[in-house]
Amino acid sequence: MKKIVGFGDFLVSLSPDGYLRFLQADTMNVFYTGAEANVCASLACFGMDTELVTRLPENEIADAAVASLRKYNVGTCHIARGGERIGVIYTEKGAAQRPSKVVYDRKYSSFSEVDEKTFDWDEILKDAGWLHFTGITAALSDTLPGACLAALKAAKRLAITVSCDLNYRKKLWTTEKAGKVMRQLLPYVDVLIANEEDVEKVLGIKAAGTDVISGELNRNGYAEVAAQLSRTFGISYVATTLRKSISASDNDWSAMLFHNGKAMFSKTYSIHIVNRVGGGDSFSGGLIYGLMNGMDDQRALEFAAAASCLKHSIENDYNLVSTQEVFALVEGDGSGRVQR
């Protein structure tokens, strides 16, 4: 099977132990992360051939970041080197009614200097069957939308499936700029993943009867939004995760997939969260796996929702689960009983 290529930033992740607040922390745990890297790592754990395309400086911290990808069998052959620094993300884990918090330190990173001439996309994608990127990638500098467009055009020339997680981050760009840029990129996308806030804030399309603060979700409203996205941009598949936040510690989790004029919904999982960061990325990885491996739409959706449910139980950002574990949950084994 052809490989999956992810295009995006790769950062140092620093977080206090457990549920300590930034003000309490005397030490930080070190991890390496990035939306597209998280998807690649998930897929690699499922046995898929993956490759991350990014740019990092020439120093020991970047070397450690690359080593973390290789540890989980993510390809690193097309990581460019140059620039002065690797970006940093600080994460404070929330609990109960206290939300998690994220602080970015990623301006002027090596990756932010990427433009449409940095990579030879025809060479990178020659053995690929899928390209994945997120709105975060396009948000990081004024040159990165052009770099994304170059990658997408090459993918279309080579008949490669393109997926995008809209992934709006208000700390990175405005809704106006995000809308302008993403509207230029979405016509090249075959599979769009977006939650309710992303679609509303970036594209101005709101699911009727939904309020993410109160946790009210209207399934019919999401189907209407997906149909509009499909018509407007010519997108074959539109998927959205449906998170009902009871608190920072407990969520109800499900998902929707729209294809060929039909909306379908996964089963709902009530999850007690160990770590929610990377939950959306794990859903993307699960959906890509299902669609690439010929599952029917409902089966692919159930696989993706179950994979993401399991990710909420895992520390750090990679979804380190096997296909056997995901299929067991899909088939109803969610007891959490010790396996021996």
Side-chain angles (χ1 to χ4, degrees):
M1 186 174 292
K2 292 187 175 182
K3 68 181 177 183
I4 303 110
V5 174
F7 175 47
D9 199 11
F10 198 46
L11 310 95
V12 177
S13 172
L14 300 176
S15 58
D17 282 329
Y19 294 93
L20 290 178
R21 306 211 71 181
F22 290 135
L23 287 171
Q24 297 172 288
D26 296 316
T27 61
M28 292 277 190
N29 295 307
V30 181
F31 184 67
Y32 301 95
T33 187
E36 295 81 4
N38 297 340
V39 172
C40 287
S42 292
L43 286 160
C45 286
F46 296 152
M48 303 294 282
D49 184 9
T50 67
E51 183 90 20
L52 181 67
V53 178
T54 190
R55 184 172 185 260
L56 295 169
E58 283 276 11
N59 60 40
E60 289 81 357
I61 303 302
D63 292 344
V66 172
S68 76
L69 292 170
R70 290 174 177 159
K71 177 180 179 180
Y72 296 108
N73 296 315
V74 176
T76 60
C77 293
H78 293 290
I79 294 179
R81 291 300 189 103
E84 298 297 324
R85 65 187 300 265
I86 185 172
V88 182
I89 180 172
Y90 300 87
T91 304
E92 177 186 280
K93 190 186 298 183
Q97 281 67 45
R98 176 173 61 84
S100 298
K101 291 189 175 182
V102 169
V103 176
Y104 292 124
D105 177 20
R106 59 201 303 178
K107 284 187 177 181
Y108 314 114
S109 69
S110 295
F111 185 75
S112 71
E113 298 171 349
V114 166
D115 61 27
E116 69 276 9
K117 297 180 181 179
T118 303
F119 297 104
D120 182 348
W121 286 107
D122 288 320
E123 174 65 23
I124 291 170
L125 296 175
K126 65 181 182 181
D127 297 319
W130 198 290
L131 173 66
H132 180 73
F133 79 108
T134 73
I136 294 172
T137 298
L140 291 174
S141 72
D142 290 337
T143 59
L144 272 162
C148 289
L149 187 59
L152 300 186
K153 287 182 175 180
K156 285 304 173 188
R157 285 197 302 272
L158 298 170
I160 292 169
T161 301
V162 173
S163 59
C164 172
D165 187 339
L166 208 52
N167 254 357
Y168 175 69
R169 297 291 183 267
K170 65 182 180 181
K171 293 184 177 181
L172 296 179
W173 55 356
T174 65
T175 56
E176 292 79 13
K177 187 172 183 180
K180 180 179 180 181
V181 169
M182 296 311 297
R183 286 178 183 277
Q184 294 174 337
L185 301 179
L186 287 178
Y188 296 89
V189 171
D190 303 293
V191 181
L192 177 65
I193 301 116
N195 66 30
E196 63 278 9
E197 288 185 282
D198 294 339
V199 175
E200 180 182 354
K201 291 181 178 179
V202 176
L203 302 173
I205 303 171
K206 180 175 174 58
T210 292
D211 186 334
V212 297
I213 302 301
S214 68
E216 294 296 325
L217 300 177
N218 177 4
R219 288 189 167 194
N220 290 333
Y222 285 107
E224 292 168 4
V225 167
Q228 186 173 340
L229 288 169
S230 181
R231 289 194 303 269
T232 303
F233 299 104
I235 298 170
S236 297
Y237 293 86
V238 178
T240 183
T241 54
L242 305 174
R243 184 190 296 274
K244 183 177 181 180
S245 291
I246 300 163
S247 70
S249 301
D250 295 281
N251 288 179
D252 287 343
W253 180 261
S254 61
M256 182 207 74
L257 180 64
F258 182 90
H259 180 223
N260 285 337
K262 179 183 178 182
M264 60 211 75
F265 295 85
S266 74
K267 67 176 70 174
T268 299
Y269 298 94
S270 294
I271 53 179
H272 184 72
I273 298 171
V274 171
N275 178 26
R276 67 168 281 177
V277 178
D281 300 328
S282 61
F283 176 80
S284 296
L287 186 62
I288 292 168
Y289 178 86
L291 295 177
M292 284 197 78
N293 282 275
M295 294 182 194
D296 65 50
D297 290 348
Q298 187 69 48
R299 185 72 166 171
L301 176 63
E302 296 290 358
F303 185 91
S308 188
C309 173
L310 290 172
K311 167 62 193 75
H312 286 76
S313 72
I314 298 171
E315 290 285 12
N316 299 323
D317 299 4
Y318 294 166
N319 193 22
L320 305 178
V321 298
S322 66
T323 56
Q324 291 85 352
E325 290 172 305
V326 179
F327 282 126
L329 182 56
V330 170
E331 299 304 327
D333 184 2
S335 66
R337 290 175 61 87
V338 176
Q339 296 182 358
R340 47 177 153 214

